[in-house]
Amino acid sequence: MALSHALLTSLLEKSSSGYDLARRFDKSIGFFWHATHQQIYRELGRMEAAGWIESSSAPDAGKTRKRIYRVLPAGQAELLRWAAEPSNDMDLRDEFMVRLRADAALGSLGLAPELERSIAQHEEKLALYREIEQRDFAEPDKLSRAARIHHMILKKGILYEENSIAWAREMLGVL
């Protein structure tokens, strides 16, 4: 997946300025597809040059260069084309797993503190996800189809964090 497809999706949900898009991205798609604000701005320029989006001066721009981006029919067509393709298998690269293999080969490398730090990070993200779930999805029976899909994406994140914590705690026992 290219960043452009994530941005097209976000802009279809709501046309916005680059700054607002980057902030929304950080709080939604950014949980599972990371991009810096610089990358987002560069990609917006490429997408506009490709004719997938257009921008116009924001009503509140004043003397700034603030632009509002919206998806054009060519951008919708590209997103439809991409969505119809089979997904690639997840490319998992986890440096810590290699360190654990080194620990198994060399003897104890003192990796427990890194595991404990990892547990704390996963617990923090899990707490955030649960807070979002309580705030945005408290009444699942009343959700629209789109909101139910968003909730299921969040649930996958919750399960990931719960399983990462459980695995790390078990691994601590092994180390």
Side-chain angles (χ1 to χ4, degrees):
M1 175 174 100
L3 175 57
S4 58
H5 299 108
L7 295 175
L8 283 169
T9 299
S10 192
L11 285 171
L12 277 173
E13 292 172 346
K14 182 179 182 184
S15 296
S16 58
S17 69
Y19 175 78
D20 290 337
L21 174 65
R23 289 187 62 220
R24 275 191 11 255
F25 194 90
D26 287 344
K27 296 175 183 176
S28 60
I29 293 173
F31 285 126
F32 52 89
W33 188 267
H34 178 72
T36 66
H37 290 207
Q38 272 186 322
Q39 289 171 314
I40 289 171
Y41 280 105
R42 272 195 311 269
E43 194 61 32
L44 287 171
R46 285 188 205 115
M47 292 164 56
E48 192 164 21
W52 294 352
I53 62 172
E54 71 177 357
S55 67
S56 57
S57 188
D60 63 343
K63 295 180 182 179
T64 69
R65 295 181 294 163
K66 185 176 180 181
R67 315 273 310 153
I68 300 295
Y69 294 90
R70 73 176 192 88
V71 178
L72 295 172
Q76 288 184 354
E78 169 55 22
L79 193 56
L80 285 167
R81 182 207 60 76
W82 168 80
E85 290 180 350
S87 296
N88 293 326
D89 290 338
M90 187 170 83
D91 183 17
L92 177 63
R93 293 184 201 179
D94 190 333
E95 184 178 321
F96 190 68
M97 295 303 112
V98 178
R99 288 182 185 180
L100 286 171
R101 294 288 299 241
D103 183 279
L106 297 170
S108 179
L109 299 175
L111 298 175
E114 190 167 347
L115 263 177
E116 290 165 350
R117 184 182 59 78
S118 175
I119 290 169
Q121 289 175 331
H122 286 291
E123 286 174 336
E124 187 177 308
K125 182 140 315 167
L126 178 60
L128 173 63
Y129 287 172
R130 286 184 172 152
E131 181 183 307
I132 293 169
E133 184 176 41
Q134 284 300 307
R135 183 191 69 215
D136 297 346
F137 306 108
E139 298 183 60
D141 297 340
K142 296 181 181 180
L143 297 175
S144 68
R145 179 179 180 276
R148 288 194 326 262
I149 291 171
H150 291 176
H151 188 206
M152 289 302 295
I153 294 167
L154 179 64
K155 279 184 169 183
K156 183 171 182 177
I158 289 170
L159 290 170
Y160 174 80
E161 298 304 332
E162 288 173 342
N163 286 320
S164 294
I165 292 165
W167 176 87
R169 286 183 176 147
E170 186 175 342
M171 180 51 95
L172 270 175
V174 172
L175 292 179

